Amino acid sequence: MTDFHPLRPASAPGGPAAIQSLRVVPAAAFVVTLGAARGDGLGIADDLVLDDIYQLSPEAPHLDLVAAIAPDGRIAIADGSPTGQPGHRLHLDCCLTLAEPDGHLIEMLVLVEVEDDAVAEIYGLPLAPLMPKRDYRLVGIDRHAATRRLAQAASASFVRGTRITMASGEQVPVEALRVGDRVLTRDDGPQPIRWIGCCTLRAIGAFAPVVIRKGVLHNAHDLVLAPDHRIFVWQRQDWLGTGRAEVLVKVRHLVNGDTVYVREGGHVDYFQIVFDDHQIIFAEGIAAESVIVDSLTRAALPENTPPHAPRRHLRYEVTESLLPRAEAVELLRRASAAR
């Protein structure tokens, strides 16, 4: 299921809160079929029992829950969310590890919608595809990992081997970069790296990288990025009909299964680069963003990393509705071609 995307695009942030749309399943659709809590739907950590076996209902709806993450880390359901009650708080309760019959492990975040200090609804946010009527044994409950996992899924990340353009013009693999190295940025010229980190994750679901084949967007080699990583395109002609030349696009919205595809399986090393400000840098010849430090991504970064101020280019993100999936990458190619 290469089209699985738990993090759906929402409107660009217009204030201090980070906005993210989460593809969730209601608790009542993920039910214990064998075990101590047989017949019960997904619950909070205190109510869950290890070794219980769950199944997803064939009729389970997938819901888009739009969340606003405030600078202090508090989460609420945002105005315009198609599910949940706007204004209700959202609590990231825990991160579950589920074992499939073949032994593969997947993770699911448990989110609790709270009204007047009472539970209004519980949702599961799977970080890999769930198949209806398939057994999932609960083998792990982590009360501390959920915030970090959500932050990792939303962070702009380059895979090992990606060549980054330095201030000197040299192309350097991302794993060879160090704090203080000066990288060429689109808007501010040479800028020093303030932090660079790496995490190794299973390449499945929300963490399966997207490959843009060599030459597809005038890139020198294959460019491989995390699904929610945004690339920057200057449209010489407005093929997308956005009414502006500058656009930001999440790479998973360009997946066509051919020239841009999801690479699942095994593990992937993801590198995150932080500057004093959110920057557009150059990776394999493509303009791509660095990590934006906000209330959503901060949990994946060192403590006390200062948040980034809003930048003009953040207003240019193109939502999925404006991108015809089969033609999106070709339209961007034409739009950015020299004429």
Side-chain angles (χ1 to χ4, degrees):
M1 293 183 65
T2 57
D3 60 347
F4 172 79
H5 302 301
L7 303 181
R8 297 281 174 170
S11 56
I19 303 295
Q20 190 72 32
S21 187
L22 311 172
R23 178 56 63 92
V24 299
V25 294
F30 195 61
V31 177
V32 177
T33 57
L34 184 65
R38 184 174 179 177
D40 291 349
L42 184 67
I44 61 174
D46 288 343
D47 297 334
L48 300 175
V49 181
L50 290 175
D51 285 331
D52 276 359
I53 295 176
Y54 288 77
Q55 285 190 2
L56 181 69
S57 166
E59 296 81 27
H62 283 79
L63 309 173
D64 286 321
L65 184 66
V66 182
I69 301 93
D72 62 3
R74 287 182 296 176
I75 309 175
I77 298 176
D79 291 341
S81 179
T83 192
Q85 180 63 42
H88 282 183
R89 288 186 293 115
L90 274 177
H91 170 63
L92 275 172
D93 183 72
C94 60
C95 178
L96 307 181
T97 301
L98 302 164
E100 298 181 288
D102 58 8
H104 286 138
L105 302 178
I106 65 172
E107 292 182 319
M108 172 186 281
L109 308 185
V110 176
L111 295 86
V112 181
E113 179 181 348
V114 179
E115 179 183 13
D116 296 328
D117 295 324
V119 174
E121 184 58 89
I122 297 174
Y123 307 96
L125 173 61
L127 297 180
L130 292 179
M131 302 298 294
K133 293 188 175 181
R134 187 177 180 87
D135 287 344
Y136 295 94
R137 183 182 298 274
L138 179 60
V139 295
I141 304 170
D142 191 323
R143 300 170 187 269
H144 306 291
T147 302
R148 183 175 180 81
R149 278 289 185 262
L150 187 61
Q152 288 173 329
S155 293
S157 302
F158 303 93
V159 303
R160 180 180 295 275
T162 302
R163 300 187 308 169
I164 305 297
T165 303
M166 309 303 289
S168 64
E170 183 183 5
Q171 305 294 302
V172 175
V174 64
E175 65 270 21
L177 298 178
R178 298 294 181 265
V179 171
D181 286 352
R182 295 173 69 81
V183 173
L184 180 64
T185 72
R186 179 184 181 274
D187 298 312
D188 298 319
Q191 291 294 312
I193 295 173
R194 295 305 185 195
W195 180 82
I196 184 165
C198 175
C199 60
T200 301
L201 300 166
R202 282 192 65 212
I204 187 171
F207 299 112
V210 173
V211 180
I212 302 175
R213 289 188 186 275
K214 175 182 176 179
V216 170
L217 289 176
H218 318 293
N219 42 312
H221 300 86
D222 287 358
L223 177 61
V224 190
L225 303 170
D228 262 35
H229 203 141
R230 294 177 293 193
I231 62 172
F232 177 92
V233 177
W234 175 271
Q235 295 193 100
R236 298 175 187 272
Q237 297 185 51
D238 188 11
W239 284 88
L240 293 184
T242 61
R244 59 177 179 264
E246 300 168 304
V247 294
L248 278 174
V249 182
K250 290 182 178 178
V251 292
R252 59 182 169 78
H253 297 156
L254 303 179
V255 172
N256 57 23
D258 179 18
T259 58
V260 182
Y261 64 94
V262 177
R263 190 175 73 193
E264 288 194 307
H267 290 78
V268 59
D269 292 337
Y270 278 132
F271 290 81
Q272 302 83 35
I273 304 173
V274 175
F275 298 93
D276 288 333
D277 297 291
H278 183 252
Q279 297 288 355
I280 303 298
I281 62 176
F282 299 92
E284 303 296 358
I286 291 181
E289 68 174 336
S290 64
V291 172
I292 182 169
V293 183
D294 62 13
S295 50
L296 177 58
T297 62
R298 190 177 296 144
L301 303 172
E303 259 188 272
N304 302 320
T305 302
H308 285 155
R311 303 210 70 179
R312 182 172 61 93
H313 57 242
L314 291 171
R315 301 196 300 268
Y316 300 154
E317 184 172 349
V318 178
T319 59
E320 189 175 17
S321 61
L322 293 178
L323 291 167
R325 178 60 67 91
E327 303 174 359
V329 70
E330 180 58 28
L331 289 175
L332 286 177
R333 179 182 172 84
R334 294 179 192 173
S336 61
R339 295 188 182 277

